[in-house]
């Protein structure tokens, strides 16, 4: 009688263990089918990498995710700083067309400048930078 109980208990434990393993496998397959979101990509475009003092330059940030334009960014800012300078200027930019955020701006002092885009969209943040020069 005791051997029957032991055999029955062992069989029940094996059945429970097998059921648990199969459920874990199903959960793993379900989690594997959920892909991580595509990375938010920001490409800075400059009309020219060198311009003269007080000459307008067009700056663009092309924002994409998975190759598709992002037109619903929560925030797009262009931050400008001059090499050796302490202050920066931040300008908020709105979507212009097809995920391209555009700004036209001039600078009153010669020097090497950096533009850093601050883009927040779809729970991600990207902030690439690019240098350009303003000549006298």
């Amino acid at each position: 009688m005791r051997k029957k109980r032991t055999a029955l208990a062992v069989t029940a434990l094996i059945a429970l263990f097998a059921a648990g393993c199969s459920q874990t496998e199903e959960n793993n397959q379900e989690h594997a089918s959920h892909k991580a979101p595509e990375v938010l990509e920001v490409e800075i475009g400059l009309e020219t990498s060198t311009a003269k003092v007080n000459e307008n330059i067009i700056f663009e940030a092309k924002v994409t995710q998975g190759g598709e334009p992002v037109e619903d960014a929560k925030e797009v800012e262009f931050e400008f700083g001059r090499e050796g300078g302490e202050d920066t200027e931040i300008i908020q930019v709105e979507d212009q067309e097809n995920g391209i955020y555009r700004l036209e701006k001039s600078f009153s002092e010669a020097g090497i400048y950096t533009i850093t885009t601050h883009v927040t969209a779809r729970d991600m943040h990207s902030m690439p930078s690019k240098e350009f020069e303003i000549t006298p």
Side-chain angles (χ1 to χ4, degrees):
M1 185 79 162
R2 188 171 185 162
K3 286 183 181 180
K4 280 187 179 180
R5 282 188 189 163
T6 304
L8 188 60
V10 169
T11 305
L13 286 172
I14 290 171
L16 284 171
F17 179 74
C21 286
S22 118
Q23 189 174 13
T24 301
E25 231 174 87
E26 288 173 15
N27 287 344
N28 288 342
Q29 287 174 355
E30 185 179 314
H31 287 292
S33 68
H34 294 297
K35 292 183 179 179
E38 296 280 342
V39 174
L40 183 68
E41 297 196 26
V42 180
E43 183 182 327
I44 299 174
L46 299 175
E47 182 180 45
T48 179
S49 60
T50 305
K52 294 190 181 296
V53 169
N54 297 321
E55 179 180 53
N56 283 340
I57 304 173
I58 296 174
F59 298 92
E60 293 182 344
K62 182 179 180 183
V63 183
T64 59
Q65 186 179 39
E68 298 295 318
V70 173
E71 297 176 345
D72 61 346
K74 183 177 179 181
E75 179 179 68
V76 178
E77 294 177 334
F78 289 177
E79 179 180 8
F80 297 96
R82 188 167 66 98
E83 190 177 86
E86 293 180 20
D87 297 331
T88 62
E89 179 182 13
I90 297 175
I91 301 171
Q92 185 124 21
V93 184
E94 301 296 325
D95 179 40
Q96 297 293 319
E97 62 181 73
N98 208 20
I100 297 175
Y101 298 78
R102 188 175 289 122
L103 174 71
E104 190 171 340
K105 180 171 175 37
S106 64
F107 299 84
S108 60
E109 294 182 51
I112 304 293
Y113 286 79
T114 300
I115 176 176
T116 301
T117 61
H118 298 272
V119 178
T120 303
R122 301 175 184 174
D123 296 327
M124 295 184 187
H125 187 77
S126 181
M127 46 186 284
S129 296
K130 195 174 238 185
E131 281 190 351
F132 59 98
E133 183 177 10
I134 302 298
T135 60

